[in-house]
């Protein structure tokens, strides 16, 4: 029997070699609903234009993490910003002035 990993848990499929798609869909729907209700609707919004292939990859990535695309994008952006802050590439204070970069010109 095959197993499906879902947030650290395993679920055995009902048919050997095939996933129990009904259970997967139920779990996915619960995860999506939890993510949607967890985010306030009045957050600032941005618009991003993506090439078709990148959009398709992003959708597959979000689905593999049982998240809506918008939440996956939020997670990826948050990780990138946290990393930049920890490496000192951006400052923690929103009001801080951007650092001047000296050029060799």
């Amino acid at each position: 029997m095959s197993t499906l990993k879902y947030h650290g848990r395993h679920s055995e499929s009902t048919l050997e070699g095939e996933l129990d798609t009904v259970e997967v869909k139920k779990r996915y729907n619960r995860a999506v609903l939890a993510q949607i209700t967890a985010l306030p609707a009045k957050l600032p919004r941005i618009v991003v234009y993506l090439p078709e292939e990148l959009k398709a990859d992003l959708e597959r990535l979000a689905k593999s993490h049982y998240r809506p695309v918008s939440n996956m994008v939020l997670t990826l952006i948050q990780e990138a910003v946290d990393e930049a802050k920890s490496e000192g590439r951006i400052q923690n204070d929103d009001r801080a002035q951007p650092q001047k970069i000296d050029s060799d010109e």
Side-chain angles (χ1 to χ4, degrees):
M1 287 196 159
S2 63
T3 59
L4 169 68
K5 188 171 181 182
Y6 175 76
H7 294 289
R9 297 186 211 130
H10 294 275
S11 170
E12 293 196 9
S13 68
T14 55
L15 299 174
E16 189 171 331
E18 294 183 21
L19 297 175
D20 183 359
T21 56
V22 173
E23 183 62 27
V24 171
K25 287 179 181 180
K26 286 179 184 177
R27 289 180 181 178
Y28 178 77
N29 290 338
R30 284 193 299 267
V32 169
L33 182 60
Q35 293 296 328
I36 290 170
T37 57
L39 293 175
K42 294 188 178 184
L43 287 176
R45 297 174 187 222
I46 62 170
V47 175
V48 178
Y49 297 94
L50 302 174
E52 287 288 332
E53 185 176 332
L54 182 56
K55 180 181 179 281
D57 288 342
L58 179 60
E59 288 169 342
R60 284 191 293 274
L61 178 63
K63 189 172 183 178
S64 74
H65 285 268
Y66 300 96
R67 298 171 180 252
V69 172
S70 60
N71 183 264
M72 190 77 237
V73 170
L74 174 63
T75 300
L76 294 170
I77 291 171
Q78 186 65 59
E79 289 173 358
V81 168
D82 290 346
E83 180 181 322
K85 285 180 179 179
S86 71
E87 293 174 356
R89 291 184 282 132
I90 60 174
Q91 295 183 11
N92 288 323
D93 187 358
D94 294 342
R95 297 165 292 176
Q97 296 295 321
Q99 296 178 355
K100 290 186 178 181
I101 299 174
D102 295 329
S103 64
D104 294 333
E105 295 179 74

